Amino acid sequence: MLHQQIDQKLSEKKAWALRRQLGIPNNKRLWVLACMDERLPVEKALGINEGDAHIFRNAGGLVTDDAIRSAMLTTQFFGTKEIIVLNHTECGMMTASGDFLSEVLHQKGIDVDRVNIDPSLPELQLPKGFFSKWIKTFTDVDAICVKQVELLRNSPLIPEDVVINGYIWQVESMSLRRPYERLSQKVNTSEEMERHTTN
Ligand SMILES: [Zn+2]
């Protein structure tokens, strides 16, 4: 009967619209922390669709206070059981040091030691000299990915049974890999093998 199909569609629509009020988690019970870079297509990289995940993006795909805030909410209150960190090759956060960027801002007349980092919470002040650290630049994408997973695992605000993994998106090949697993090196040179056998 047609009305059954219509009723089914209407109840699905209601469940979608009222997900948070009804305590329905996202489809994959997944929270993703990813860099904001335009070359990182999060859904495509993970093979997920609309409705599958809560996705948090910032410069670098790094564990910041707001990332922790969002991870805490999704895992403690919105039914999320899994976290995936997505960093990527040729990230803008590897192009300059925090000190350099702070200096550029300083030259533009911004007092980096006194600026409000969250205009809605003026109480939140960085100690003097911390602005460079707060920017969180890095030099090695594999190391930073492993580190973000570790930071999330060690956060007391995220339940211990949440499964956390990190992956690297390679912008040069538009494909995913695990940290330190560089297939492109292995198929092009025997260096890796030599390194392993001589160690
Ligand atoms: Zn990036």
Side-chain angles (χ1 to χ4, degrees), residues 100-166:
F100 175 79
L101 297 175
S102 294
E103 183 53 33
V104 172
L105 293 174
H106 180 71
Q107 282 168 12
K108 289 183 177 192
I110 298 169
D111 185 352
V112 295
D113 283 325
R114 298 174 65 158
V115 72
N116 275 347
I117 53 162
D118 183 345
S120 69
L121 268 183
E123 299 87 352
L124 207 59
Q125 288 286 330
L126 289 176
K128 198 172 178 329
F130 259 70
F131 193 85
S132 300
K133 274 192 179 176
W134 176 76
I135 298 177
K136 294 181 192 275
T137 56
F138 57 88
T139 55
D140 183 312
V141 70
D142 294 277
I144 206 70
C145 186
V146 170
K147 181 77 184 165
Q148 302 321 295
V149 171
E150 193 184 302
L151 289 169
L152 290 166
R153 282 221 172 98
N154 293 336
S155 170
L157 291 169
I158 298 169
E160 277 179 20
D161 63 346
V162 170
V163 176
I164 311 175
N165 283 283

Short mmCIF file of all heavy atoms in Angstrom, two decimals, residues 100-166:
data_model
loop_
_atom_site.label_atom_id
_atom_site.label_comp_id
_atom_site.label_asym_id
_atom_site.label_seq_id
_atom_site.Cartn_x
_atom_site.Cartn_y
_atom_site.Cartn_z
N PHE A 100 57.86 32.10 13.46
CA PHE A 100 57.85 32.94 12.26
C PHE A 100 56.47 33.57 12.06
O PHE A 100 56.34 34.77 11.82
CB PHE A 100 58.24 32.12 11.03
CG PHE A 100 58.15 32.88 9.74
CD1 PHE A 100 59.15 33.78 9.36
CD2 PHE A 100 57.04 32.73 8.91
CE1 PHE A 100 59.04 34.50 8.18
CE2 PHE A 100 56.92 33.46 7.73
CZ PHE A 100 57.93 34.34 7.36
N LEU A 101 55.42 32.75 12.18
CA LEU A 101 54.06 33.25 11.97
C LEU A 101 53.69 34.30 13.03
O LEU A 101 53.06 35.31 12.73
CB LEU A 101 53.06 32.09 12.00
CG LEU A 101 53.25 31.05 10.88
CD1 LEU A 101 52.30 29.87 11.07
CD2 LEU A 101 53.06 31.66 9.50
N SER A 102 54.13 34.05 14.28
CA SER A 102 53.87 35.02 15.35
C SER A 102 54.54 36.35 15.05
O SER A 102 53.97 37.42 15.28
CB SER A 102 54.40 34.50 16.70
OG SER A 102 53.68 33.37 17.08
N GLU A 103 55.76 36.26 14.52
CA GLU A 103 56.52 37.46 14.19
C GLU A 103 55.81 38.25 13.08
O GLU A 103 55.73 39.48 13.14
CB GLU A 103 57.95 37.06 13.77
CG GLU A 103 58.89 38.22 13.47
CD GLU A 103 58.98 39.25 14.60
OE1 GLU A 103 58.88 38.87 15.79
OE2 GLU A 103 59.13 40.46 14.28
N VAL A 104 55.30 37.56 12.09
CA VAL A 104 54.57 38.21 11.00
C VAL A 104 53.35 38.95 11.56
O VAL A 104 53.08 40.11 11.21
CB VAL A 104 54.13 37.18 9.92
CG1 VAL A 104 53.21 37.84 8.90
CG2 VAL A 104 55.35 36.58 9.23
N LEU A 105 52.61 38.30 12.46
CA LEU A 105 51.43 38.93 13.06
C LEU A 105 51.83 40.14 13.89
O LEU A 105 51.16 41.18 13.88
CB LEU A 105 50.67 37.91 13.92
CG LEU A 105 50.02 36.76 13.16
CD1 LEU A 105 49.43 35.74 14.13
CD2 LEU A 105 48.93 37.27 12.22
N HIS A 106 52.94 39.98 14.62
CA HIS A 106 53.46 41.07 15.44
C HIS A 106 53.78 42.29 14.58
O HIS A 106 53.44 43.43 14.93
CB HIS A 106 54.71 40.58 16.18
CG HIS A 106 55.33 41.61 17.06
ND1 HIS A 106 54.74 42.04 18.23
CD2 HIS A 106 56.48 42.32 16.92
CE1 HIS A 106 55.51 42.97 18.78
NE2 HIS A 106 56.56 43.17 18.01
N GLN A 107 54.39 42.01 13.42
CA GLN A 107 54.73 43.11 12.50
C GLN A 107 53.48 43.77 11.92
O GLN A 107 53.51 44.91 11.50
CB GLN A 107 55.62 42.58 11.36
CG GLN A 107 57.06 42.40 11.79
CD GLN A 107 57.88 41.62 10.77
OE1 GLN A 107 57.44 41.41 9.65
NE2 GLN A 107 59.08 41.20 11.18
N LYS A 108 52.38 43.03 11.90
CA LYS A 108 51.13 43.59 11.42
C LYS A 108 50.41 44.37 12.53
O LYS A 108 49.28 44.82 12.35
CB LYS A 108 50.20 42.48 10.93
CG LYS A 108 50.65 41.83 9.64
CD LYS A 108 49.64 40.78 9.18
CE LYS A 108 50.06 40.20 7.84
NZ LYS A 108 49.00 39.40 7.24
N GLY A 109 51.04 44.45 13.68
CA GLY A 109 50.49 45.24 14.78
C GLY A 109 49.63 44.45 15.76
O GLY A 109 48.95 45.03 16.60
N ILE A 110 49.63 43.14 15.66
CA ILE A 110 48.83 42.32 16.58
C ILE A 110 49.67 41.94 17.79
O ILE A 110 50.78 41.40 17.65
CB ILE A 110 48.31 41.05 15.87
CG1 ILE A 110 47.40 41.45 14.70
CG2 ILE A 110 47.57 40.13 16.85
CD1 ILE A 110 47.04 40.31 13.77
N ASP A 111 49.15 42.24 18.99
CA ASP A 111 49.85 41.91 20.22
C ASP A 111 49.55 40.44 20.58
O ASP A 111 48.57 40.14 21.26
CB ASP A 111 49.40 42.84 21.35
CG ASP A 111 50.21 42.60 22.62
OD1 ASP A 111 51.00 41.64 22.66
OD2 ASP A 111 50.03 43.38 23.58
N VAL A 112 50.39 39.54 20.08
CA VAL A 112 50.11 38.11 20.23
C VAL A 112 50.16 37.64 21.69
O VAL A 112 49.68 36.56 22.01
CB VAL A 112 51.05 37.24 19.37
CG1 VAL A 112 50.82 37.50 17.89
CG2 VAL A 112 52.51 37.47 19.75
N ASP A 113 50.73 38.44 22.57
CA ASP A 113 50.80 38.05 23.97
C ASP A 113 49.54 38.44 24.75
O ASP A 113 49.34 38.00 25.87
CB ASP A 113 52.02 38.67 24.65
CG ASP A 113 53.28 37.91 24.27
OD1 ASP A 113 53.19 36.68 24.10
OD2 ASP A 113 54.33 38.56 24.10
N ARG A 114 48.70 39.28 24.15
CA ARG A 114 47.52 39.74 24.90
C ARG A 114 46.20 39.55 24.15
O ARG A 114 45.14 39.88 24.67
CB ARG A 114 47.69 41.22 25.25
CG ARG A 114 48.92 41.44 26.14
CD ARG A 114 49.16 42.90 26.37
NE ARG A 114 48.09 43.53 27.14
CZ ARG A 114 48.22 44.65 27.82
NH1 ARG A 114 49.39 45.25 27.84
NH2 ARG A 114 47.22 45.18 28.48
N VAL A 115 46.29 39.05 22.93
CA VAL A 115 45.09 38.95 22.11
C VAL A 115 44.12 37.89 22.67
O VAL A 115 44.55 36.89 23.25
CB VAL A 115 45.49 38.62 20.64
CG1 VAL A 115 45.99 37.18 20.49
CG2 VAL A 115 44.34 38.90 19.69
N ASN A 116 42.81 38.15 22.52
CA ASN A 116 41.81 37.18 22.94
C ASN A 116 41.78 36.02 21.95
O ASN A 116 41.45 36.20 20.79
CB ASN A 116 40.40 37.81 22.96
CG ASN A 116 40.12 38.53 24.23
OD1 ASN A 116 40.85 38.39 25.21
ND2 ASN A 116 39.07 39.32 24.24
N ILE A 117 42.10 34.82 22.40
CA ILE A 117 42.07 33.68 21.47
C ILE A 117 40.64 33.18 21.27
O ILE A 117 40.33 32.54 20.29
CB ILE A 117 43.00 32.53 21.93
CG1 ILE A 117 42.69 32.11 23.37
CG2 ILE A 117 44.46 32.91 21.76
CD1 ILE A 117 43.23 30.75 23.70
N ASP A 118 39.75 33.47 22.21
CA ASP A 118 38.33 33.15 22.04
C ASP A 118 37.52 34.36 22.48
O ASP A 118 37.35 34.60 23.67
CB ASP A 118 37.97 31.92 22.89
CG ASP A 118 36.52 31.51 22.70
OD1 ASP A 118 35.71 32.31 22.17
OD2 ASP A 118 36.18 30.38 23.09
N PRO A 119 37.02 35.15 21.51
CA PRO A 119 36.32 36.40 21.84
C PRO A 119 35.11 36.19 22.73
O PRO A 119 34.69 37.11 23.44
CB PRO A 119 35.87 36.93 20.47
CG PRO A 119 36.71 36.21 19.47
CD PRO A 119 37.07 34.89 20.07
N SER A 120 34.55 34.97 22.74
CA SER A 120 33.37 34.72 23.58
C SER A 120 33.76 34.31 24.99
O SER A 120 32.91 34.20 25.87
CB SER A 120 32.50 33.64 22.95
OG SER A 120 33.15 32.39 23.01
N LEU A 121 35.04 34.08 25.21
CA LEU A 121 35.53 33.69 26.54
C LEU A 121 36.79 34.49 26.87
O LEU A 121 37.90 33.95 26.82
CB LEU A 121 35.90 32.20 26.56
CG LEU A 121 34.88 31.14 26.97
CD1 LEU A 121 35.56 29.77 26.98
CD2 LEU A 121 34.27 31.42 28.32
N PRO A 122 36.63 35.77 27.20
CA PRO A 122 37.83 36.59 27.44
C PRO A 122 38.69 36.09 28.60
O PRO A 122 39.87 36.42 28.70
CB PRO A 122 37.24 37.98 27.74
CG PRO A 122 35.78 37.79 27.93
CD PRO A 122 35.39 36.50 27.29
N GLU A 123 38.08 35.23 29.44
CA GLU A 123 38.85 34.66 30.56
C GLU A 123 39.96 33.73 30.06
O GLU A 123 40.94 33.47 30.76
CB GLU A 123 37.93 33.84 31.50
CG GLU A 123 36.82 34.64 32.16
CD GLU A 123 35.56 34.73 31.29
OE1 GLU A 123 35.61 34.31 30.12
OE2 GLU A 123 34.54 35.25 31.80
N LEU A 124 39.75 33.19 28.85
CA LEU A 124 40.71 32.23 28.31
C LEU A 124 41.91 32.98 27.75
O LEU A 124 41.89 33.49 26.63
CB LEU A 124 40.02 31.42 27.21
CG LEU A 124 40.53 30.01 26.93
CD1 LEU A 124 40.45 29.12 28.15
CD2 LEU A 124 39.74 29.39 25.79
N GLN A 125 42.98 33.06 28.53
CA GLN A 125 44.17 33.80 28.13
C GLN A 125 45.36 32.87 28.02
O GLN A 125 45.52 31.98 28.85
CB GLN A 125 44.46 34.88 29.18
CG GLN A 125 43.49 36.06 29.17
CD GLN A 125 43.71 36.98 27.98
OE1 GLN A 125 44.83 37.12 27.49
NE2 GLN A 125 42.65 37.61 27.51
N LEU A 126 46.16 33.09 27.00
CA LEU A 126 47.39 32.32 26.89
C LEU A 126 48.46 32.98 27.75
O LEU A 126 48.53 34.21 27.80
CB LEU A 126 47.88 32.31 25.44
CG LEU A 126 47.08 31.51 24.42
CD1 LEU A 126 47.69 31.74 23.04
CD2 LEU A 126 47.08 30.04 24.77
N PRO A 127 49.30 32.16 28.40
CA PRO A 127 50.43 32.77 29.09
C PRO A 127 51.33 33.47 28.08
O PRO A 127 51.38 33.08 26.90
CB PRO A 127 51.16 31.57 29.70
CG PRO A 127 50.18 30.45 29.69
CD PRO A 127 49.26 30.71 28.54
N LYS A 128 52.03 34.50 28.51
CA LYS A 128 52.92 35.26 27.63
C LYS A 128 53.92 34.32 26.95
O LYS A 128 54.48 33.43 27.60
CB LYS A 128 53.66 36.30 28.48
CG LYS A 128 54.28 37.42 27.69
CD LYS A 128 54.80 38.46 28.70
CE LYS A 128 55.50 39.64 28.11
NZ LYS A 128 56.22 39.57 26.90
N GLY A 129 54.09 34.49 25.65
CA GLY A 129 55.06 33.68 24.92
C GLY A 129 54.51 32.35 24.41
O GLY A 129 55.25 31.57 23.81
N PHE A 130 53.22 32.07 24.64
CA PHE A 130 52.65 30.79 24.24
C PHE A 130 51.98 30.80 22.87
O PHE A 130 51.57 29.76 22.37
CB PHE A 130 51.64 30.31 25.29
CG PHE A 130 52.21 29.26 26.20
CD1 PHE A 130 53.19 29.58 27.13
CD2 PHE A 130 51.77 27.94 26.12
CE1 PHE A 130 53.73 28.62 27.96
CE2 PHE A 130 52.30 26.97 26.95
CZ PHE A 130 53.28 27.30 27.88
N PHE A 131 51.84 31.99 22.30
CA PHE A 131 51.07 32.10 21.06
C PHE A 131 51.65 31.21 19.94
O PHE A 131 50.90 30.54 19.23
CB PHE A 131 51.03 33.56 20.59
CG PHE A 131 50.03 33.81 19.51
CD1 PHE A 131 48.69 34.06 19.82
CD2 PHE A 131 50.40 33.79 18.17
CE1 PHE A 131 47.75 34.28 18.82
CE2 PHE A 131 49.46 34.01 17.17
CZ PHE A 131 48.14 34.26 17.49
N SER A 132 52.98 31.17 19.84
CA SER A 132 53.63 30.35 18.81
C SER A 132 53.25 28.89 18.96
O SER A 132 52.98 28.19 17.99
CB SER A 132 55.15 30.49 18.90
OG SER A 132 55.51 31.82 18.70
N LYS A 133 53.25 28.42 20.22
CA LYS A 133 52.89 27.03 20.50
C LYS A 133 51.43 26.77 20.16
O LYS A 133 51.05 25.70 19.68
CB LYS A 133 53.12 26.71 21.98
CG LYS A 133 54.50 26.29 22.32
CD LYS A 133 54.52 25.71 23.73
CE LYS A 133 55.91 25.24 24.10
NZ LYS A 133 55.97 24.76 25.49
N TRP A 134 50.60 27.78 20.45
CA TRP A 134 49.15 27.66 20.24
C TRP A 134 48.83 27.47 18.76
O TRP A 134 47.87 26.78 18.40
CB TRP A 134 48.47 28.91 20.81
CG TRP A 134 47.00 28.98 20.61
CD1 TRP A 134 46.04 28.27 21.29
CD2 TRP A 134 46.30 29.81 19.67
NE1 TRP A 134 44.79 28.61 20.82
CE2 TRP A 134 44.92 29.56 19.83
CE3 TRP A 134 46.70 30.75 18.72
CZ2 TRP A 134 43.94 30.20 19.08
CZ3 TRP A 134 45.74 31.39 17.97
CH2 TRP A 134 44.37 31.11 18.16
N ILE A 135 49.63 28.07 17.87
CA ILE A 135 49.41 27.91 16.43
C ILE A 135 49.61 26.46 16.00
O ILE A 135 48.95 25.97 15.10
CB ILE A 135 50.36 28.84 15.62
CG1 ILE A 135 50.07 30.31 15.95
CG2 ILE A 135 50.18 28.62 14.12
CD1 ILE A 135 51.00 31.28 15.25
N LYS A 136 50.53 25.76 16.68
CA LYS A 136 50.76 24.33 16.45
C LYS A 136 51.20 23.98 15.03
O LYS A 136 50.51 23.24 14.32
CB LYS A 136 49.50 23.51 16.77
CG LYS A 136 49.10 23.50 18.24
CD LYS A 136 47.86 22.63 18.42
CE LYS A 136 47.24 22.79 19.79
NZ LYS A 136 47.81 21.97 20.81
N THR A 137 52.32 24.50 14.61
CA THR A 137 52.89 24.04 13.34
C THR A 137 53.63 22.72 13.59
O THR A 137 53.88 22.35 14.74
CB THR A 137 53.88 25.07 12.77
OG1 THR A 137 54.88 25.32 13.74
CG2 THR A 137 53.17 26.37 12.42
N PHE A 138 53.95 22.00 12.53
CA PHE A 138 54.70 20.75 12.70
C PHE A 138 55.59 20.49 11.49
O PHE A 138 55.50 21.21 10.48
CB PHE A 138 53.77 19.57 12.97
CG PHE A 138 52.71 19.33 11.92
CD1 PHE A 138 52.97 18.54 10.82
CD2 PHE A 138 51.44 19.89 12.06
CE1 PHE A 138 52.00 18.30 9.87
CE2 PHE A 138 50.45 19.66 11.11
CZ PHE A 138 50.73 18.86 10.00
N THR A 139 56.46 19.48 11.59
CA THR A 139 57.44 19.25 10.52
C THR A 139 57.35 17.86 9.90
O THR A 139 57.98 17.61 8.87
CB THR A 139 58.88 19.44 11.05
OG1 THR A 139 59.05 18.58 12.18
CG2 THR A 139 59.13 20.88 11.48
N ASP A 140 56.60 16.95 10.51
CA ASP A 140 56.57 15.57 10.00
C ASP A 140 55.14 15.04 10.09
O ASP A 140 54.59 14.90 11.19
CB ASP A 140 57.51 14.70 10.83
CG ASP A 140 57.60 13.27 10.32
OD1 ASP A 140 56.54 12.64 10.06
OD2 ASP A 140 58.72 12.76 10.20
N VAL A 141 54.53 14.77 8.95
CA VAL A 141 53.11 14.41 8.94
C VAL A 141 52.85 13.05 9.59
O VAL A 141 51.83 12.85 10.26
CB VAL A 141 52.53 14.48 7.50
CG1 VAL A 141 53.06 13.36 6.62
CG2 VAL A 141 51.01 14.44 7.54
N ASP A 142 53.79 12.10 9.42
CA ASP A 142 53.60 10.78 10.04
C ASP A 142 53.65 10.90 11.56
O ASP A 142 52.80 10.35 12.27
CB ASP A 142 54.67 9.80 9.56
CG ASP A 142 54.52 9.51 8.08
OD1 ASP A 142 53.70 8.66 7.72
OD2 ASP A 142 55.21 10.19 7.28
N ALA A 143 54.65 11.64 12.04
CA ALA A 143 54.82 11.80 13.48
C ALA A 143 53.63 12.55 14.08
O ALA A 143 53.13 12.19 15.16
CB ALA A 143 56.12 12.56 13.78
N ILE A 144 53.14 13.56 13.37
CA ILE A 144 52.05 14.35 13.93
C ILE A 144 50.76 13.53 13.99
O ILE A 144 49.96 13.66 14.92
CB ILE A 144 51.85 15.68 13.15
CG1 ILE A 144 51.22 16.75 14.05
CG2 ILE A 144 50.97 15.52 11.93
CD1 ILE A 144 52.09 17.28 15.14
N CYS A 145 50.56 12.66 13.02
CA CYS A 145 49.36 11.82 12.99
C CYS A 145 49.36 10.86 14.19
O CYS A 145 48.36 10.76 14.92
CB CYS A 145 49.30 11.05 11.68
SG CYS A 145 47.78 10.10 11.47
N VAL A 146 50.48 10.20 14.40
CA VAL A 146 50.61 9.28 15.54
C VAL A 146 50.39 10.03 16.85
O VAL A 146 49.71 9.57 17.76
CB VAL A 146 52.01 8.60 15.52
CG1 VAL A 146 52.26 7.83 16.81
CG2 VAL A 146 52.12 7.68 14.31
N LYS A 147 50.94 11.24 16.90
CA LYS A 147 50.84 12.07 18.11
C LYS A 147 49.39 12.46 18.42
O LYS A 147 48.97 12.46 19.58
CB LYS A 147 51.70 13.33 17.92
CG LYS A 147 51.71 14.27 19.09
CD LYS A 147 52.60 13.77 20.21
CE LYS A 147 52.54 14.67 21.43
NZ LYS A 147 53.11 14.03 22.62
N GLN A 148 48.62 12.80 17.36
CA GLN A 148 47.23 13.21 17.59
C GLN A 148 46.40 12.06 18.17
O GLN A 148 45.57 12.25 19.05
CB GLN A 148 46.56 13.73 16.30
CG GLN A 148 47.27 14.89 15.63
CD GLN A 148 47.81 15.91 16.60
OE1 GLN A 148 47.07 16.59 17.31
NE2 GLN A 148 49.13 16.03 16.66
N VAL A 149 46.65 10.85 17.66
CA VAL A 149 45.95 9.66 18.17
C VAL A 149 46.29 9.48 19.65
O VAL A 149 45.41 9.23 20.48
CB VAL A 149 46.35 8.40 17.35
CG1 VAL A 149 45.82 7.14 18.00
CG2 VAL A 149 45.83 8.53 15.92
N GLU A 150 47.57 9.64 19.95
CA GLU A 150 48.04 9.49 21.34
C GLU A 150 47.40 10.54 22.25
O GLU A 150 46.94 10.22 23.35
CB GLU A 150 49.56 9.67 21.31
CG GLU A 150 50.30 9.25 22.56
CD GLU A 150 51.79 9.59 22.39
OE1 GLU A 150 52.41 9.09 21.43
OE2 GLU A 150 52.30 10.38 23.21
N LEU A 151 47.33 11.78 21.78
CA LEU A 151 46.74 12.85 22.59
C LEU A 151 45.27 12.56 22.89
O LEU A 151 44.79 12.77 24.01
CB LEU A 151 46.87 14.20 21.87
CG LEU A 151 48.28 14.79 21.78
CD1 LEU A 151 48.29 15.97 20.80
CD2 LEU A 151 48.76 15.24 23.16
N LEU A 152 44.55 12.07 21.88
CA LEU A 152 43.13 11.75 22.08
C LEU A 152 42.97 10.58 23.04
O LEU A 152 42.11 10.58 23.92
CB LEU A 152 42.45 11.45 20.74
CG LEU A 152 42.28 12.65 19.80
CD1 LEU A 152 41.93 12.20 18.40
CD2 LEU A 152 41.20 13.60 20.34
N ARG A 153 43.84 9.55 22.87
CA ARG A 153 43.77 8.37 23.75
C ARG A 153 44.00 8.77 25.20
O ARG A 153 43.45 8.18 26.11
CB ARG A 153 44.84 7.35 23.34
CG ARG A 153 44.46 6.55 22.15
CD ARG A 153 44.85 5.07 22.29
NE ARG A 153 44.28 4.33 21.18
CZ ARG A 153 44.98 4.01 20.08
NH1 ARG A 153 46.25 4.33 19.98
NH2 ARG A 153 44.38 3.36 19.11
N ASN A 154 44.87 9.76 25.39
CA ASN A 154 45.24 10.14 26.75
C ASN A 154 44.31 11.18 27.36
O ASN A 154 44.49 11.58 28.50
CB ASN A 154 46.67 10.67 26.77
CG ASN A 154 47.67 9.58 26.47
OD1 ASN A 154 47.40 8.40 26.67
ND2 ASN A 154 48.84 9.96 25.96
N SER A 155 43.32 11.64 26.58
CA SER A 155 42.42 12.65 27.12
C SER A 155 41.42 12.04 28.09
O SER A 155 40.70 11.10 27.73
CB SER A 155 41.67 13.36 25.99
OG SER A 155 40.65 14.17 26.56
N PRO A 156 41.35 12.56 29.30
CA PRO A 156 40.38 12.04 30.28
C PRO A 156 38.94 12.37 29.89
O PRO A 156 38.01 11.80 30.46
CB PRO A 156 40.78 12.76 31.58
CG PRO A 156 41.51 13.97 31.14
CD PRO A 156 42.17 13.65 29.84
N LEU A 157 38.76 13.22 28.89
CA LEU A 157 37.40 13.62 28.48
C LEU A 157 36.80 12.66 27.45
O LEU A 157 35.62 12.75 27.11
CB LEU A 157 37.42 15.04 27.91
CG LEU A 157 37.70 16.14 28.95
CD1 LEU A 157 37.98 17.46 28.28
CD2 LEU A 157 36.52 16.28 29.91
N ILE A 158 37.61 11.73 26.95
CA ILE A 158 37.13 10.77 25.94
C ILE A 158 37.11 9.37 26.57
O ILE A 158 38.12 8.94 27.13
CB ILE A 158 38.04 10.80 24.70
CG1 ILE A 158 37.97 12.20 24.07
CG2 ILE A 158 37.64 9.73 23.68
CD1 ILE A 158 38.98 12.46 23.01
N PRO A 159 35.96 8.66 26.47
CA PRO A 159 35.86 7.34 27.11
C PRO A 159 36.94 6.37 26.59
O PRO A 159 37.31 6.42 25.42
CB PRO A 159 34.46 6.85 26.70
CG PRO A 159 33.70 8.07 26.33
CD PRO A 159 34.71 9.05 25.80
N GLU A 160 37.41 5.49 27.47
CA GLU A 160 38.52 4.60 27.12
C GLU A 160 38.17 3.58 26.05
O GLU A 160 39.04 3.07 25.36
CB GLU A 160 39.02 3.89 28.38
CG GLU A 160 39.99 4.76 29.16
CD GLU A 160 40.49 4.09 30.42
OE1 GLU A 160 40.42 2.85 30.51
OE2 GLU A 160 40.95 4.82 31.33
N ASP A 161 36.87 3.24 25.92
CA ASP A 161 36.50 2.21 24.94
C ASP A 161 36.31 2.76 23.52
O ASP A 161 36.00 2.01 22.59
CB ASP A 161 35.23 1.46 25.39
CG ASP A 161 34.02 2.39 25.48
OD1 ASP A 161 34.20 3.62 25.46
OD2 ASP A 161 32.89 1.87 25.58
N VAL A 162 36.52 4.04 23.34
CA VAL A 162 36.43 4.63 21.99
C VAL A 162 37.67 4.19 21.18
O VAL A 162 38.79 4.31 21.66
CB VAL A 162 36.35 6.17 22.05
CG1 VAL A 162 36.49 6.79 20.67
CG2 VAL A 162 35.04 6.59 22.69
N VAL A 163 37.43 3.65 19.99
CA VAL A 163 38.53 3.16 19.14
C VAL A 163 39.09 4.34 18.33
O VAL A 163 38.33 5.06 17.67
CB VAL A 163 38.00 2.07 18.18
CG1 VAL A 163 39.10 1.62 17.23
CG2 VAL A 163 37.46 0.89 18.98
N ILE A 164 40.40 4.54 18.41
CA ILE A 164 41.01 5.71 17.75
C ILE A 164 42.13 5.29 16.80
O ILE A 164 43.04 4.54 17.20
CB ILE A 164 41.57 6.70 18.81
CG1 ILE A 164 40.52 6.99 19.89
CG2 ILE A 164 42.03 7.99 18.13
CD1 ILE A 164 41.02 7.86 21.03
N ASN A 165 42.05 5.76 15.56
CA ASN A 165 43.09 5.47 14.57
C ASN A 165 43.41 6.73 13.77
O ASN A 165 42.58 7.63 13.67
CB ASN A 165 42.64 4.37 13.61
CG ASN A 165 42.74 3.00 14.25
OD1 ASN A 165 43.82 2.43 14.35
ND2 ASN A 165 41.62 2.49 14.70
N GLY A 166 44.61 6.74 13.18
CA GLY A 166 45.01 7.88 12.36
C GLY A 166 45.49 7.43 10.99
O GLY A 166 46.09 6.36 10.85
#
